[in-house]
């Protein structure tokens, strides 16, 4: 009789790779003390920010997706997956399609791993991302049509920091005081940064920011901005579709146009031609979430200052 086809061949395949990756073959010598530290794996670079800040030198951390990847279409390679084969803890956003596949593959080869999504109590934004248009149904997708870019918000970052702390605490209770003091200082830092950003961006409330990909939805919500996405979900836009969105964009008089390098589209030039706005490159998948958020805030605040100066000059 024919063997029953597994529900998802990709997962079975990944699990087999991971199992083979656990063999002692080619094992690298590492300093004994580092070897004893709890091993944490994160799915995307922004999550490494939290583990580094809170876990410090008491944990080791590996990241699955590189910063250059598009996390919404990313498929990890065998080498990337092996990073998780002996981890004790995996932190995810809980919202990206590849995280679910990786979690299933890892759980079967490394059943002891704890997988913690960091979206916690964050109020998720819907409607910016449509993942249902690929012709397949995804009944078990946890990410649905929620906007996965929860890390581009200082307010969400505070929630994610707490989630990371709780997960690290469970992995290494002996380090509770160390983790707690680092969580407290990170929380204060993010809170002050958020307050400063709120003050800087207060004059821009209600204004529109143009993005190629909707990666700043939570940032925009925090500071009362309207994010307008020009690009089409991971596809080249049709000329008509792009023209319609550009007409809408011109109408809203956007302040800035944010563009991500990983979306290598010549259509960004069309946006500049149509709106007169030069693209400000942002790296929302950077490990340094503060830098990415600050760069966006700087560009918006800078435009607001220029607008004010122009108004004064014209009077
Ligand atoms: Zn996205």
């Amino acid at each position: 009789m024919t063997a029953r086809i597994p529900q998802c061949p990709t997962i079975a395949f990944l699990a087999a790779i991971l199992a083979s990756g656990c063999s002692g073959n080619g094992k690298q010598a590492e300093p004994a003390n580092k070897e004893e530290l709890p091993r944490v794996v994160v799915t995307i670079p922004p999550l490494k920010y939290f583990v580094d800040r809170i876990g410090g030198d008491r944990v080791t951390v590996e990241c699955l997706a590189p910063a250059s990847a598009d996390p919404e279409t990313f498929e990890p390679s065998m080498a990337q997956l092996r990073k998780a084969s002996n981890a004790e803890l995996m932190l995810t956003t809980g919202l990206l399609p590849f995280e679910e596949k990786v979690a299933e593959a890892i759980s079967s080869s490394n059943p002891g791993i704890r997988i913690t999504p960091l979206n916690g109590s964050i109020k998720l934004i819907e409607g910016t991302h449509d993942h249902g248009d690929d012709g397949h149904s995804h009944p078990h997708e946890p990410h649905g049509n929620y906007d996965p870019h929860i890390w581009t918000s200082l307010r969400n970052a505070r929630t994610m920091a707490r989630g990371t702390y709780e997960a690290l605490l469970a992995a290494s209770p002996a380090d509770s005081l160390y983790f707690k003091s680092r969580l407290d200082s990170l929380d204060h830092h993010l809170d002050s940064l958020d307050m400063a950003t709120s003050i800087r961006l207060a004059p821009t409330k209600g204004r529109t920011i143009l993005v190629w990909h909707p990666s700043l939805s939570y940032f925009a919500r925090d500071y009362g901005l309207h994010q307008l996405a020009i690009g089409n979900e991971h596809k080249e836009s049709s000329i008509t579709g792009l023209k319609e969105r550009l007409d809408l964009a011109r109408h809203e008089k956007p302040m800035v146009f944010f563009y991500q390098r990983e979306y290598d589209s010549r259509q960004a030039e069309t946006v500049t031609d149509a709106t007169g706005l030069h693209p400000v490159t942002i790296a929302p998948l950077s490990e340094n979430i503060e830098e990415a958020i600050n760069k966006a805030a700087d560009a918006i605040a800078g435009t607001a200052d220029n607008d004010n100066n122009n108004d004064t000059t014209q009077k």
Side-chain angles (χ1 to χ4, degrees):
M1 294 310 286
T2 50
R4 201 161 159 250
I5 297 164
Q7 196 179 10
C8 178
T10 320
I11 289 164
F13 176 65
L14 295 179
I17 290 162
L18 282 173
S20 70
C22 288
S23 74
N25 209 5
K27 200 176 179 185
Q28 286 180 3
E30 277 190 53
N33 57 344
K34 227 186 163 192
E35 191 94 323
E36 288 159 14
L37 296 174
R39 289 168 185 270
V40 183
V41 65
V42 296
T43 48
I44 53 167
L47 305 186
K48 191 169 177 290
Y49 168 93
F50 299 103
V51 181
D52 285 341
R53 296 301 187 287
I54 297 162
D57 57 10
R58 305 286 171 93
V59 298
T60 61
V61 57
E62 294 261 26
C63 180
L64 292 181
S68 56
D70 173 353
E72 287 160 58
T73 54
F74 177 67
E75 298 278 351
S77 68
M78 300 177 200
Q80 285 160 334
L81 275 170
R82 281 203 189 100
K83 291 178 181 176
S85 63
N86 58 0
E88 286 148 52
L89 171 66
M90 179 160 91
L91 298 176
T92 73
T93 66
L95 299 164
L96 292 164
F98 89 89
E99 292 176 332
E100 188 187 20
K101 288 188 204 164
V102 170
E104 283 186 48
I106 286 171
S107 303
S108 54
S109 68
N110 177 5
I113 194 168
R114 277 176 306 108
I115 298 170
T116 306
L118 293 180
N119 63 63
S121 55
I122 294 168
K123 191 171 185 300
L124 298 173
I125 293 176
E126 283 184 87
T128 56
H129 284 65
D130 179 13
H131 293 122
D133 60 354
D134 61 356
H136 306 279
S137 65
H138 304 282
H140 305 298
E141 275 188 357
H143 44 88
N145 284 336
Y146 291 123
D147 190 313
H149 303 265
I150 48 173
W151 60 90
T152 58
S153 152
L154 295 165
R155 295 176 200 176
N156 290 354
R158 293 178 70 192
T159 305
M160 295 168 82
R162 177 152 291 278
T164 304
Y165 161 75
E166 283 162 7
L168 292 181
L169 186 62
S172 185
D175 291 311
S176 69
L177 290 177
Y178 177 81
F179 294 151
K180 182 66 169 63
S181 88
R182 291 175 71 94
L183 169 70
D184 288 344
S185 66
L186 177 61
D187 189 63
H188 280 126
H189 172 67
L190 292 170
D191 188 31
S192 338
L193 203 58
D194 174 41
M195 280 197 284
T197 311
S198 289
I199 294 166
R200 284 174 82 200
L201 298 186
T204 68
K205 218 170 214 172
R207 298 283 307 270
T208 295
I209 55 168
L210 218 55
V211 289
W212 183 259
H213 180 81
S215 55
L216 294 175
S217 314
Y218 295 92
F219 169 86
R221 178 175 73 183
D222 285 352
Y223 306 113
L225 296 159
H226 175 227
Q227 171 189 252
L228 183 61
I230 289 293
N232 204 1
E233 288 280 314
H234 310 285
K235 289 174 284 207
E236 285 281 295
S237 289
S238 72
I239 300 291
T240 334
L242 184 64
K243 195 185 169 299
E244 278 171 15
R245 288 192 292 278
L246 284 172
D247 285 343
L248 182 64
R250 270 193 295 262
H251 193 71
E252 296 204 16
K253 298 190 173 49
M255 307 183 73
V256 249
F257 168 42
F258 290 114
Y259 188 72
Q260 284 168 247
R261 222 182 287 278
E262 58 266 33
Y263 296 100
D264 182 25
S265 169
R266 278 150 290 143
Q267 289 175 315
E269 287 171 26
T270 320
V271 179
T272 299
D273 291 345
T275 60
L277 295 169
H278 290 283
V280 175
T281 314
I282 48 163
L285 207 64
S286 151
E287 194 180 304
N288 190 340
I289 60 163
E290 284 178 48
E291 198 174 73
I293 293 172
N294 281 337
K295 188 168 183 190
D298 284 347
I300 297 166
T303 312
D305 289 346
N306 282 343
D307 287 355
N308 287 340
N309 290 343
N310 290 343
D311 287 352
T312 323
T313 326
Q314 280 160 16
K315 272 172 194 165

